[in-house]
Amino acid sequence: MVVNQLEVKNFRNIENTSLEPCKGINIIYGENAQGKTNLLESIWLFTGCRSFRGSKDNEIINFNSTKANIYMDFNAFDREQSASLEISEGRRFFLNGVKMKSSSQIMGEFLCVVFSPVHLSLVKEGPYERRRFLDIAISQLKPKYGVTLSQYNKAVAQRNILLKDVAYHSELYDTLDIWEDRIAFFGSEIIRQRLGYINKLSLYTDEIYSGLSNERERLNIAYKQQAIIGGDNKQELYENLKSQLYASRKNDLITGSTSIGPHRDDLSIKIDGLSARSFGSQGQQRSAALALKLGEAAVIKSFSGEQPVALLDDVMSELDINRQNYILNHIKDWQVFITCCDPANVKHLKDGKRFMMKNGVVKKK
Ligand SMILES: Nc1ncnc2c1ncn2[C@@H]1O[C@H](COP(=O)(O)OP(=O)(O)OP(=O)(O)O)[C@@H](O)[C@H]1O
Ligand SMILES: [Mg+2]
């Protein structure tokens, strides 16, 4: 996956700029608030996903305009392609001149991973962020997973409503069974997919983290279930989840919520056996989040055969020189966009292109 040309118009503070990145490492440097992260965000949107900053589309359009446009030429799946995106009332994607019916239609055509300071929440915040990471990563590889997830969430919501209603209408008690069956059916598939994904991901994250720490520290990731639902296959997982839901009824009727199932699970992240969230230093937490993101890219490559473009926003700060060098070496065969304030941070970079960004305009240096 290689971006050959990018043109951005009325996107946040970028009124009109363009660049021709190289196949390898592209450094975008400049002072604070010049538009470096905005530029990465504009590339990211071609994945069809929402902004990685969690922004709404109307916040993305330049304050003085009513629409934003992004054009990109790229190489993917052994051919030259072009894509454009217009954001005004909603999004309109074109791929090779053909209008896409929805954002989801462009998913999988342009593959990219992003690491930005917001992704530190993967390590620092609560389980919701890590479940979201797993769910988005798996959905990108297997779109059916997204459907299973939304059916699962609906079934949990229905059971929760019923748990509250039973207090007033005891005759509804038996209908809990219907929703528990659906929760177990979709939930067992979610657990199975997450276990499989983490298994694969951990092969890469272990290796990347030991490289980052110069073989001095070990990262360990694992699926952490709120209630252990054992089973070697989907059928066993289904039966175990169903019987545990039944067993948790008494407690769940008191709280009015479903206390077990994949919506309560987590991804455990440990460095040398200690929780990265509770005990990790800033550099260790950043390294762990980065290992997850670079690992995600490696899994995408193993599935699709394409190396995704990497967008690394402000990745070098807080990392010592060994870790910085590892990143530059590890990603040397990918197309990467790295933003930083001070280009001295990447002085070890021999090949690649440098761009300076000022007031929303990119200039080759
Ligand atoms: N819709 C918008 N219209 C115009 N300007 C916007 C819009 N949204 C955000 N901005 C501005 O874009 C500017 C640059 O943002 P960006 O986050 O890309 O900076 P940066 O170069 O990455 O800075 P830093 O080094 O601090 O991370 C901000 O000052 C912000 O006010
Ligand atoms: Mg920034």
Side-chain angles (χ1 to χ4, degrees):
M1 206 59 52
V2 175
V3 178
N4 298 318
Q5 151 91 22
L6 181 76
E7 199 180 333
V8 185
K9 288 186 175 154
N10 296 316
F11 183 92
R12 297 205 189 258
N13 74 329
I14 306 174
E15 286 177 9
N16 191 352
T17 201
S18 61
L19 74 158
E20 282 181 25
C22 71
K23 275 186 183 164
I25 298 183
N26 296 278
I27 307 291
I28 322 267
Y29 69 93
E31 292 170 4
N32 293 132
Q34 301 305 309
K36 303 183 296 294
T37 305
N38 295 345
L39 190 77
L40 298 194
E41 191 182 25
S42 73
I43 300 174
W44 169 256
L45 292 184
F46 283 107
T47 59
C49 296
R50 288 183 50 211
S51 153
F52 58 79
R53 292 169 144 182
S55 308
K56 297 193 190 92
D57 280 355
N58 59 5
E59 295 167 351
I60 280 170
I61 303 166
N62 182 271
F63 297 139
N64 302 321
S65 181
T66 52
K67 60 173 187 171
N69 291 86
I70 319 163
Y71 307 91
M72 184 170 85
D73 292 334
F74 66 109
N75 276 77
F77 306 105
D78 297 325
R79 62 192 189 111
E80 281 182 28
Q81 310 206 42
S82 66
S84 71
L85 167 62
E86 181 171 295
I87 305 171
S88 50
E89 309 271 297
R91 296 176 177 193
R92 292 201 313 152
F93 282 102
F94 283 84
L95 180 66
N96 303 317
V98 179
K99 186 172 184 284
M100 302 283 105
K101 290 193 193 85
S102 64
S103 295
S104 55
Q105 210 188 342
I106 195 129
M107 274 187 189
E109 302 290 345
F110 175 70
L111 300 170
C112 125
V113 293
V114 58
F115 175 82
S116 92
V118 297
H119 294 106
L120 291 173
S121 62
L122 263 177
V123 179
K124 290 183 170 182
E125 305 290 325
Y128 171 80
E129 299 291 338
R130 289 179 287 283
R131 284 195 298 268
R132 212 171 100 84
F133 164 72
L134 290 174
D135 291 340
I136 294 175
I138 302 169
S139 309
Q140 283 187 347
L141 301 173
K142 300 177 180 178
K144 253 180 82 181
Y145 178 85
V147 180
T148 306
L149 195 65
S150 87
Q151 281 169 323
Y152 173 81
N153 289 333
K154 273 185 208 148
V156 171
Q158 289 295 336
R159 183 175 183 264
N160 291 347
I161 292 171
L162 200 54
L163 287 167
K164 293 181 190 99
D165 285 353
V166 167
Y168 307 99
H169 305 280
S170 55
E171 71 278 11
L172 292 174
Y173 186 84
D174 286 342
T175 49
L176 278 171
D177 198 54
I178 300 169
W179 298 112
E180 284 168 10
D181 189 66
R182 285 183 73 82
I183 294 173
F185 180 78
F186 297 119
S188 53
E189 178 60 11
I190 293 170
I191 295 172
R192 198 177 72 87
Q193 292 288 351
R194 286 186 184 167
L195 284 168
Y197 183 77
I198 293 167
N199 247 340
K200 218 166 180 151
L201 181 69
S202 65
L203 297 176
Y204 300 109
T205 51
D206 285 7
E207 189 193 317
I208 294 165
Y209 195 92
S210 23
L212 271 168
S213 65
N214 227 339
E215 315 287 327
R216 274 187 234 135
E217 298 163 14
R218 284 197 62 83
L219 177 79
N220 187 277
I221 61 166
Y223 194 41
K224 187 170 151 198
Q225 294 186 314
Q226 170 86 352
I228 307 291
I229 314 292
D232 289 333
N233 55 47
K234 188 168 155 24
Q235 184 62 25
E236 283 179 29
L237 284 167
Y238 160 78
E239 281 162 17
N240 289 334
L241 180 53
K242 195 164 173 195
S243 62
Q244 293 216 31
L245 283 162
Y246 183 79
S248 66
R249 272 187 194 179
K250 201 170 153 207
N251 175 48
D252 291 358
L253 279 164
I254 297 168
T255 60
S257 65
T258 301
S259 58
I260 61 159
H263 63 292
R264 292 289 179 102
D265 293 346
D266 198 355
L267 173 70
S268 136
I269 306 172
K270 288 186 174 163
I271 298 169
D272 289 340
L274 293 173
S275 151
R277 183 184 181 194
S278 311
F279 301 104
S281 74
Q282 301 205 118
Q284 285 177 319
Q285 290 183 336
R286 184 171 279 255
S287 306
L290 184 62
L292 287 174
K293 284 291 173 176
L294 297 179
E296 181 191 356
V299 179
I300 292 178
K301 174 151 192 218
S302 78
F303 264 77
S304 67
E306 281 279 329
Q307 179 67 60
V309 171
L311 308 174
L312 305 180
D313 188 19
D314 209 4
V315 73
M316 297 301 184
S317 51
E318 288 172 7
L319 293 182
D320 59 38
I321 205 80
N322 287 326
R323 291 181 196 233
Q324 293 186 3
N325 279 340
Y326 175 81
I327 296 173
L328 294 180
N329 277 322
H330 182 79
I331 55 182
K332 65 180 186 309
D333 301 327
W334 314 3
Q335 186 179 43
V336 188
F337 294 81
I338 300 184
T339 68
C340 57
C341 291
D342 183 359
N345 269 341
V346 281
K347 61 176 181 283
H348 313 284
L349 178 73
K350 291 175 196 80
D351 309 318
K353 269 190 177 177
R354 284 161 196 262
F355 300 91
M356 197 192 56
M357 187 134 200
K358 198 169 169 64
N359 284 327
V361 178
V362 179
K363 280 210 180 89
K364 172 145 182 348
K365 281 283 157 178

